[in-house]
Amino acid sequence: MTRTTSAVARALDRIGRLDPALHAFIEVWPDEALAREREAAARRLPLGGLPFAVKGPSGIRSFAARRLIAAGGSPVGATSVPGPGTHWQTWGLGAHGRTVNPWRADRTPGGSSAGSAVAVATGMAELATGSDGAGSVRIPAAWCGVFGLKTTNGLLPSPDRSGLASAGVLARSAAAAEPYLRHVLGGGVPDAAAPALPLPLPAVYSEDLGFAEVDPEVAAVVRAAVDRLVAAGTVRLLGRDAALLDPVEAWTAVRGGSPDAPEAMRVRQTNDERLDALLADGALLLTPVTPNRPHGHEGPGDLYSTALTWAFNLSGHPAASLPAGFTGDGCPVGLQLAAARGADVRLLAAARAVEEALPAAPVPPTAGRAAAGH
């Protein structure tokens, strides 16, 4: 007779076999996770012991983690974030060393929700919490080939006093992220049987938001995904010009505690007005998530991996990353979807429609070998 193992037991087994090489976790809680799973089953809680990971050493105390636990989720551990004194945030430091990209060990997984993305990509957790102050959910989601969502700023509690950071979730797909929105955001999240959004979805495509320098191969991968969405009847492109002002100085001023600096206020007001016009009538904005592919562990150099993400931290709009394909050297590329403020549920529904029209995202080779050897 084949013995059936629980979802948490399978997740813990994968952590034990994969994490010594991937370094996605700083702590693992096997006894507590299995106990919570048993409790969720006994009480018939809706999540039934769903194994999830939390971002960083304080993640277990976050609003999202508390809500997921109350609904029957079972946290298996805390994931890696950048180490002390790091001046750039696109990497992680796990208990065993620096976090590696599950597709290419010589590249970073992105950050700062680095370990959360790796854990989800390799099946060590079914979903993971994250936070996003400049792209910290969307960038690792893009570079690890999974789904990531930054919620509307202010929608959920955040310890970030600047107002730039908002809570987020990483999962294998938009569909797999739905429990987060249902149980963390509360009511108003449709179930899987709810009617889908009418297609085609109105959308605006921009390769560079009017200012970024984008790797031509990254741009080509995303453009091919958008063309596929148009051909499938999932998206209808609108003739709106997505030309924003570069937010780098405004973001830096706000993060530095000077939100009322004249230039920061000018950039924010101008971009808010332009984004409101672009996203009017339920339209989506489609862009690459990053202008570059995953960089090496030595750092990004002069590149701003956040060039296409942090505008939405300044403006507060919800934004998501979906797998779009790969560059020729085997690096995942993300497609970014942004929607009107507060339209998080609609954005998730749109993301589900988009991923249904695109090829299914593969699992990293490391995860595939682990599954075969289970």
Side-chain angles (χ1 to χ4, degrees), residues 87-196:
H87 65 279
W88 46 273
Q89 303 292 301
T90 50
W91 73 308
L93 186 64
H96 302 286
R98 66 186 181 193
T99 311
V100 303
N101 190 302
W103 290 97
R104 285 194 50 165
D106 63 331
R107 305 294 176 93
T108 176
S112 60
S113 305
S116 288
V118 175
V120 165
T122 54
M124 293 189 283
E126 294 192 24
L127 60 80
T129 65
S131 58
D132 190 314
S136 292
V137 164
R138 289 161 288 162
I139 292 170
W143 287 356
C144 291
V146 299
F147 174 80
L149 171 69
K150 177 196 87 70
T151 57
T152 298
N153 291 43
L155 187 64
L156 294 170
S158 171
D160 178 36
R161 295 182 179 179
S162 73
L164 293 171
S166 58
V169 60
L170 298 103
R172 281 289 305 162
S173 66
E178 201 166 64
Y180 178 96
L181 265 72
R182 177 170 300 138
H183 297 289
V184 176
L185 291 187
V189 180
D191 60 32

Side-chain angles (χ1 to χ4, degrees), residues 202-303:
V204 178
Y205 173 68
S206 175
E207 174 183 306
D208 57 9
L209 290 178
F211 58 82
E213 294 185 12
V214 181
D215 179 324
E217 193 174 358
V218 169
V221 170
V222 174
R223 182 71 221 202
V226 172
D227 289 344
R228 186 179 184 118
L229 294 173
V230 173
T234 303
V235 160
R236 172 175 57 88
L237 294 182
L238 305 174
R240 299 175 184 173
D241 183 21
L244 303 184
L245 300 180
D246 189 340
V248 57
E249 293 185 8
W251 186 95
T252 303
V254 174
R255 173 60 76 194
S258 302
D260 298 328
E263 180 63 11
M265 294 179 67
R266 183 186 74 86
V267 169
R268 296 184 83 174
Q269 181 177 350
T270 299
N271 282 353
D272 283 354
E273 291 172 354
R274 293 179 182 180
L275 284 168
D276 288 343
L278 289 170
L279 299 171
D281 304 319
L284 300 169
L285 177 56
L286 312 179
T287 77
V289 175
T290 63
N292 54 322
R293 64 194 78 195
H295 55 72
H297 292 282
E298 72 283 356
D302 294 330
L303 296 172

